[in-house]
């Protein structure tokens, strides 16, 4: 009797193992490849092999010119030679992201793509809306519509005439915010310029130029590289390894300096902790200048000046200053309103 039970138990155990194996199978995503056998409609299943890609599938476009004219959702999109167009009535959602290696993806005005995109080659045209992050690894992209955010790598360029969120520019990369462009927070280590509206700036290296009509509405942090202002910006912090130039006709807010700053425009106030500040011809500091450390040289116009024990203030022959309170090292060859020497 015992010998008869063993084969039965073995068969039942085998059946249980098989069922358990089926229960724990992880489904794999299917891949559909564009053929365009019938027409250019992305949603037409006869244009794909083996079938129309669904929400859990990957779509590969290696040739042809599919057009998205309605709402489409896929898991992944790979463009490797074809040209995908999102028309003014189309919305393409790619839940796990898109990769463009060659060919192109074009978003017409009114069209929408909900996807992160890695551009490794080929072309991307944004005249509509791209809700996602662009990883720009190759080529140049112009935004005439809207873009969620972007990372601009070396040897690539992003130009914005529409709306873009936060942008990070690596060394060797280029970002241009044109007169009609609006961008969020910019972190720059490459080459960047603004003639539109920028939310804030963190310059870690490289060069940034705020051109005529360019406005930076938030704070500017200059931890490295050079920032040049030709129009309007708010407060700025300048680190020891950084340079800031405020040119004639430009305005800036409160400046805190430990690096190298020159001014020929107008700034609201100056806190000089270290480094050097030169107020050149045409330059004005409308508020108080505090020289806690470093050197401040005035060749134009300053308001009240307070010089701490570690500071140096020089008012040259062309310089005019308001009331000067000195506890450091000050000299005057121009005109000051009054002097209070405390130490």
């Amino acid at each position: 009797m015992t010998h008869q039970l063993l084969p039965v138990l073995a068969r039942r155990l085998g059946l249980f193992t098989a069922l358990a194996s089926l229960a724990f199978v992880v489904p794999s995503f299917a891949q559909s490849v564009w053929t365009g056998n019938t027409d250019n409609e992305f949603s037409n299943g006869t244009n794909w092999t083996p079938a129309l890609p669904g929400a859990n599938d990957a779509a590969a476009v290696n040739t042809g010119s599919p057009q998205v004219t309605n709402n489409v959702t896929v898991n992944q999109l790979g463009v490797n030679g074809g040209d995908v167009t999102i028309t003014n009535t189309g919305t393409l959602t790619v839940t796990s992201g898109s990769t463009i290696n060659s060919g192109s993806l074009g978003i017409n005005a009114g069209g929408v793509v909900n996807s992160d995109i890695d551009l490794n080659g080929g072309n991307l045209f944004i005249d509509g809306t791209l809700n996602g992050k662009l990883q720009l690894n190759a080529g140049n992209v112009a935004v005439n519509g809207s873009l969620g955010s972007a990372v601009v790598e070396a040897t690539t360029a992003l130009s914005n005439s529409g709306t873009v969120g936060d942008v990070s520019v690596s060394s060797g990369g280029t970002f241009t915010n044109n007169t009609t462009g609006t961008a969020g927070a910019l972190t720059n280590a490459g080459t960047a310029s603004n003639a539109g509206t920028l939310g804030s700036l963190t310059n870690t290296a490289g060069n940034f130029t705020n051109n005529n009509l360019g406005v930076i509405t938030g704070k500017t942090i200059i931890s490295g590289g050079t920032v040049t202002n030709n129009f309007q910006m708010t407060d700025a912090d300048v680190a020891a390894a950084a340079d800031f130039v405020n040119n004639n006709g430009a305005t800036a807010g409160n400046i805190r300096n430990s690096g190298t700053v020159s001014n020929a425009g107008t700034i609201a106030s100056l806190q000089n902790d270290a480094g050097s500040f030169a107020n050149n011809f045409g330059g004005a500091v409308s508020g108080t200048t505090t020289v806690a450390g470093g050197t401040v040289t005035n060749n134009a116009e300053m308001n009240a000046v307070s010089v701490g024990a570690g500071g140096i203030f020089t008012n040259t022959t062309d310089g005019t200053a308001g009331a000067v309170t000195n506890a450091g090292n000050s000299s005057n060859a121009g005109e000051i309103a009054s002097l209070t020497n405390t130490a």
Side-chain angles (χ1 to χ4, degrees):
M1 182 69 68
T2 302
H3 294 293
Q4 292 176 348
L5 287 173
L6 288 175
V8 174
L9 289 172
R11 287 194 298 272
R12 290 180 178 176
L13 181 60
L15 178 61
F16 174 78
T17 302
L19 291 173
S21 298
L22 289 174
F24 288 101
V25 168
V26 177
S28 60
F29 297 132
Q31 183 182 66
S32 295
V33 178
W34 174 264
T35 63
N37 286 336
T38 303
D39 52 32
N40 289 330
E41 179 57 54
F42 192 101
S43 297
N44 188 342
T46 61
N47 287 320
W48 296 90
T49 182
L52 179 70
N56 294 323
D57 300 326
V61 180
N62 304 321
T63 186
S65 303
Q67 295 187 354
V68 177
T69 61
N70 53 10
N71 292 336
V72 174
T73 299
V74 296
N75 182 261
Q76 295 175 341
L77 174 65
V79 181
N80 299 288
D83 299 303
V84 180
T85 300
I86 316 302
T87 70
N88 63 328
T89 60
T91 298
L92 175 63
T93 299
V94 187
T95 53
S96 295
S98 304
T99 302
I100 305 171
N101 294 316
S102 61
S104 69
L105 174 65
I107 310 170
N108 291 346
V112 178
V113 171
N114 301 308
S115 177
D116 293 340
I117 293 181
D118 285 1
L119 183 62
N120 302 319
N123 295 289
L124 174 64
F125 306 99
I126 307 174
D127 294 325
T129 301
L130 173 54
N131 294 316
K133 182 180 80 171
L134 169 62
Q135 180 70 38
L136 185 52
N137 298 321
N140 303 328
V141 172
V143 179
N144 296 305
S146 64
L147 169 64
S149 63
V151 175
V152 183
E153 298 290 1
T155 72
T156 70
L158 179 67
S159 174
N160 178 45
S161 297
T163 302
V164 62
D166 297 348
V167 178
S168 177
V169 184
S170 301
S171 176
T174 303
F175 173 63
T176 303
N177 198 44
N178 296 315
T179 53
T180 58
T182 300
L186 171 63
T187 301
N188 178 55
T191 301
S193 63
N194 175 49
T197 302
L198 192 64
S200 66
L201 170 66
T202 300
N203 206 82
T204 61
N207 296 286
F208 174 87
T209 303
N210 196 45
N211 288 320
N212 185 40
L213 301 179
V215 176
I216 304 174
T217 59
K219 191 168 186 176
T220 294
I221 297 173
I222 313 170
S223 58
T226 301
V227 170
T228 302
N229 181 36
N230 294 307
F231 199 69
Q232 181 180 337
M233 59 188 294
T234 58
D235 300 350
D237 288 352
V238 185
D243 296 296
F244 173 57
V245 179
N246 197 51
N247 281 326
N248 184 262
T251 61
N254 304 310
I255 306 300
R256 185 159 195 167
N257 178 50
S258 293
T260 302
V261 175
S262 65
N263 176 49
T266 302
I267 65 174
S269 70
L270 170 66
Q271 170 77 34
N272 207 83
D273 295 325
S276 64
F277 175 91
N279 195 43
N280 294 320
F281 178 79
V285 182
S286 57
T288 299
T289 294
T290 302
V291 191
T295 301
V296 171
T297 302
N298 181 36
N299 301 300
E301 182 180 345
M302 305 185 84
N303 207 327
V305 180
S306 176
V307 185
I312 300 172
F313 173 62
T314 302
N315 197 50
T316 69
T317 55
D318 295 323
T320 61
V324 176
T325 302
N326 178 57
N329 190 342
S330 295
S331 64
N332 175 46
E335 181 179 340
I336 62 174
S338 65
L339 171 65
T340 300
N341 204 76
T342 61

